Amino acid sequence: MQKSELNRGQFLKQLGMSSKALMAFYCMGTLAACSSDDGVEPQGNNNPGGQQGTSNAIVGNSTGSNINFTLDLTDANFSKLKTDGAFDYAGDVIIANVGSESYIALSKKCPHQGTSVEYRKDNNDFRCPNHGSEFATSGAVTKSPAGSGLTVFKVVLSADKNTLSISA
Ligand code: FES
């Protein structure tokens, strides 16, 4: 291997420094969080809410204009959706449990400036926390400043109640 192909860790190891010494060397100068002997960043889920489609619980397309995916409600990231009044995000979609094992899925981005809307159990509607736009479960605007509504998606709960199929 040519020297130009060595990364910093390999180079320092060739100088005789142990992994522990390497970690101390890395951390000393930067005060950055160091948690791995091999320099590989940990692959933990930094998105426990299951947003942005990072979870294996989402299969299919949960972003863009062709929404069509399934959501595993037994996955730890989404199991809270089995609770009446709970809501969560999968990609570009907000899913709300509106009670009696019924679910609603809408586009999550407020048409005003793109903030993710939230479900309000007590009002059975959706509200944008940014400037206060409100939307009915039909997606229609009930309070401005949003000038247009949210897109409603079709939601089917599987017979075993463990999977949602969401599509345009
Ligand atoms: S971004 Fe939603 S009301 Fe402004």
Side-chain angles (χ1 to χ4, degrees), residues 26-34:
Y26 287 147
C27 295
M28 224 168 28
T30 63
L31 294 179
C34 295

Side-chain angles (χ1 to χ4, degrees), residues 61-106:
N61 185 17
S62 62
T63 61
S65 58
N66 185 27
I67 298 296
N68 190 357
F69 65 97
T70 60
L71 189 61
D72 181 1
L73 298 179
T74 66
D75 185 278
N77 288 326
F78 293 101
S79 57
K80 74 174 185 181
L81 278 173
K82 289 196 170 192
T83 304
D84 288 0
F87 71 93
D88 208 338
Y89 306 99
D92 291 340
V93 179
I94 180 172
I95 302 112
N97 180 332
V98 295
S100 304
E101 298 176 342
S102 293
Y103 292 85
I104 293 177
L106 302 171

Side-chain angles (χ1 to χ4, degrees), residues 81-147:
L81 278 173
K82 289 196 170 192
T83 304
D84 288 0
F87 71 93
D88 208 338
Y89 306 99
D92 291 340
V93 179
I94 180 172
I95 302 112
N97 180 332
V98 295
S100 304
E101 298 176 342
S102 293
Y103 292 85
I104 293 177
L106 302 171
S107 52
K108 74 175 184 183
K109 290 182 182 174
C110 176
H112 183 226
Q113 289 182 2
T115 301
S116 294
V117 299
E118 300 172 345
Y119 177 68
R120 298 192 299 185
K121 178 184 178 184
D122 291 345
N123 296 54
N124 190 33
D125 69 357
F126 295 83
R127 181 179 185 276
C128 177
N130 201 351
H131 308 106
S133 289
E134 295 176 4
F135 307 86
T137 54
S138 67
V141 182
T142 56
K143 184 178 176 186
S144 60

